[in-house]
Amino acid sequence: MKEYYQRVSDKVLEDHLESKGAVLIEGPKWCGKTTSAKYIAKSIIEMDRPDMTEQYQQMARIKPSALLEGKTPHLVDEWQIAPGIWNAVRYEVDQRGEFGQFILTGSSVPPVLDESMHTGTGRIVRMKMRPMSLFESKDSTGEVSLEDMFRGCDIAASDNHNIDDIAYLICRGGWPLSINTSKKVALKQAFDYYDSVIKDDISRVDGIKRNPERTKRLMKSYARNVATQASLETIREDCIVNDTDTFDKETLYSYINALKKIFVIEDSAAWNPNLRSKTAVRTADTRYFVDPSIATAALGLGPQDLINDLNLMGLIFENLCVRDLRIYSDSLDGDVFHYRDKTGLECDAVIHLRNGKYGLIEVKLGGDKLINEGAENLLKLAGKIDSDKMMAPAFMMVLCGVAPFAYRRKDGVYVVPIACLKN
């Protein structure tokens, strides 16, 4: 039996089961939703089992409660094959009056809840899974935790990853199928995922046939603009190849919304703090994929290509860091934002917790000069925040690709290699 890699989201799922009757796990295909659910579930029904699918669908119409029998939490995998199960789960949760009854997992192409389907509010909670972080894939030692930095703890760790290692980890991505296998096989997974999105998934999400070539152009443009606040109009114009092209705004929005629904794109919203002076804060989203390997696949790049273009590598590395920060933040009841104002001052990531605490993070590939620039930016932003109206930052961190040590500078800014970090 293949080794199970513990996921940060395992604890998130357990917490949800303690407070809700059912949990729906959402996320991109191949990110490990079903595997994680099976690890926690006490009984399972697989709706896509070839020799039983038709019978399951008939039972879902006649007596759906029969499909919900079993030790709890009971996993219903590929539940959308028989959408009537949704209302059955909601009803059964009400009847039993207990938490932790069901886990629902399904295709990355989520079905639309029609008028006959209750929203599930108060009974079914949704949680998001993403491809694996470096800590989950055992590429990070986890010697430094976000939780400790929120507490203001001192840190100390060493890291021996070089630029080649980081380039490989970006292109490999966090797909479970790419872990613990040869580099050749590992690097193929992102390209296979990309091909599946453009040829099938983007059209299946809502039944609207979309042009694979347009999808390619859009994803390539998104990859070229990753980790920037490029406007949708900039991306649209980038996708137009000739004067007769009719890639209008409505078409662009349709394609982008479809990619968001299947969890390919995951932009970062702007953070709006209380500042001492009236500085206009830019509100445009920052463009990211759910995994950095989607960007390299869209551009047709491998690890050596990134090393040959360090500016581009730095932007896609930021996408890797944001992916990991999102995974770690979920377990701390936090969200990840970005900050940029009219003066050009920016902060690549702001982790804001539910209790009001927040941390400021700059992402740099490495090198003393860039680390110093990142620290200066963080201190400048911290100085702008009105601490009479909101808390001062719990921590400031320069998150690096290549750095020999994790430590705390004299000015209080943490310097942390991404391959030392965990939640």
Side-chain angles (χ1 to χ4, degrees):
M1 187 175 178
K2 193 173 181 180
E3 176 190 2
Y4 178 74
Y5 281 62
Q6 296 277 347
R7 306 294 294 268
V8 172
S9 56
D10 290 346
K11 181 64 166 58
V12 178
L13 175 56
E14 289 174 350
D15 288 346
H16 281 317
L17 287 168
E18 288 179 357
S19 60
K20 285 291 182 293
V23 182
L24 170 62
I25 305 177
E26 299 180 305
K29 66 193 298 182
W30 301 358
C31 74
K33 300 184 293 294
T34 297
T35 302
S36 288
K38 285 182 176 179
Y39 183 72
I40 291 174
K42 295 293 190 292
S43 62
I44 302 166
I45 184 167
E46 296 172 308
M47 299 296 293
D48 63 344
R49 183 175 157 182
D51 59 336
M52 293 294 291
T53 297
E54 188 175 336
Q55 295 178 57
Y56 286 155
Q57 288 175 324
Q58 290 179 358
M59 185 57 70
R61 288 191 292 270
I62 299 168
K63 189 181 178 184
S65 60
L67 302 175
L68 304 181
E69 295 174 359
K71 292 183 178 179
T72 58
H74 178 62
L75 167 61
V76 184
D77 187 34
E78 297 296 344
W79 71 272
Q80 78 288 340
I81 288 175
I85 285 180
W86 180 272
N87 277 348
V89 166
R90 179 193 61 80
Y91 178 79
E92 198 68 25
V93 166
D94 281 347
Q95 294 303 303
R96 297 184 187 184
E98 297 178 359
F99 295 141
Q101 297 300 297
F102 304 106
I103 305 171
L104 303 179
T105 56
S107 167
S108 63
V109 181
V112 177
L113 300 184
D114 63 33
E115 292 180 0
S116 68
M117 298 169 71
H118 192 280
T119 61
T121 303
R123 290 89 161 181
I124 305 172
V125 64
R126 296 169 183 257
M127 65 167 278
K128 183 177 287 185
M129 273 192 73
R130 300 175 179 87
M132 300 171 87
S133 65
L134 294 186
F135 179 61
E136 291 169 318
S137 63
K138 301 185 179 179
D139 294 293
S140 168
T141 62
E143 294 177 88
V144 179
S145 82
L146 279 178
E147 191 170 17
D148 283 346
M149 285 188 284
F150 269 110
R151 292 175 181 152
C153 301
D154 286 328
I155 62 169
S158 59
D159 180 53
N160 58 5
H161 285 77
N162 58 36
I163 195 74
D164 297 286
D165 299 325
I166 299 301
Y168 168 71
L169 292 172
I170 289 171
C171 294
R172 184 202 68 186
W175 311 106
L177 288 173
S178 70
I179 308 304
N180 199 25
T181 188
S182 70
K183 286 191 175 183
K184 179 181 177 181
V185 172
L187 291 172
K188 194 173 183 298
Q189 303 307 317
F191 284 97
D192 290 345
Y193 174 85
Y194 168 73
D195 287 341
S196 177
V197 167
I198 62 176
K199 292 175 182 176
D200 184 32
D201 294 347
I202 193 169
S203 295
R204 282 203 303 127
V205 63
D206 52 13
I208 298 173
K209 184 66 177 174
R210 294 185 173 86
N211 187 304
E213 289 304 315
R214 279 188 168 178
T215 306
K216 282 183 182 179
R217 276 186 267 148
L218 171 57
M219 292 182 70
K220 185 174 287 188
S221 178
Y222 233 84
R224 283 196 290 261
N225 289 286
V226 76
T228 74
Q229 291 85 49
S231 69
L232 292 182
E233 179 59 20
T234 297
I235 291 172
R236 188 185 73 84
E237 291 176 355
D238 193 31
C239 293
I240 297 174
V241 293
N242 55 53
D243 293 339
T244 61
D245 202 332
T246 57
F247 203 9
D248 57 33
K249 289 182 180 180
E250 286 189 10
T251 304
L252 173 73
Y253 297 159
S254 169
Y255 276 62
I256 286 179
N257 287 336
L259 290 173
K260 287 181 177 180
K261 284 180 180 178
I262 56 175
F263 311 103
V264 174
I265 286 173
E266 189 176 10
D267 291 340
S268 184
W271 184 61
N272 197 355
N274 287 306
L275 302 176
R276 296 181 190 279
S277 58
K278 292 183 179 179
T279 302
V281 178
R282 302 302 188 199
T283 58
D285 289 352
T286 304
R287 310 300 171 192
Y288 293 114
F289 291 101
V290 74
D291 190 89
S293 66
I294 304 173
T296 56
L299 294 170
L301 304 180
Q304 191 57 50
D305 299 308
L306 289 183
I307 293 170
N308 293 338
D309 187 346
L310 291 179
N311 287 331
L312 177 62
M313 181 175 173
L315 293 170
I316 304 180
F317 172 66
E318 183 178 318
N319 198 152
L320 180 149
C321 292
V322 168
R323 176 202 67 191
D324 284 13
L325 292 172
R326 283 170 167 160
I327 292 168
Y328 303 151
S329 298
D330 280 350
S331 69
L332 304 176
D333 286 329
D335 293 300
V336 178
F337 302 92
H338 83 274
Y339 173 88
R340 183 180 176 86
D341 62 33
K342 69 175 183 180
T343 69
L345 179 63
E346 64 180 323
C347 183
D348 296 323
V350 180
I351 300 178
H352 204 119
L353 304 187
R354 194 173 293 170
N355 62 12
K357 289 185 177 182
Y358 63 94
L360 307 177
I361 301 164
E362 274 283 279
V363 175
K364 302 293 179 184
L365 259 181
D368 290 344
K369 183 175 183 292
L370 290 177
I371 290 172
N372 285 332
E373 286 178 2
E376 288 170 7
N377 267 2
L378 293 171
L379 291 166
K380 189 174 180 180
L381 174 55
K384 283 190 169 188
I385 292 170
D386 189 342
S387 55
D388 291 332
K389 295 183 178 178
M390 66 183 295
M391 300 179 187
F395 71 87
M396 294 171 283
M397 170 176 62
V398 179
L399 189 56
C400 306
V402 180
F405 303 107
Y407 60 97
R408 193 174 192 175
R409 293 163 42 117
K410 290 181 179 179
D411 55 19
V413 176
Y414 292 108
V415 176
V416 182
I418 187 65
C420 291
L421 191 65
K422 68 173 181 179
N423 57 315

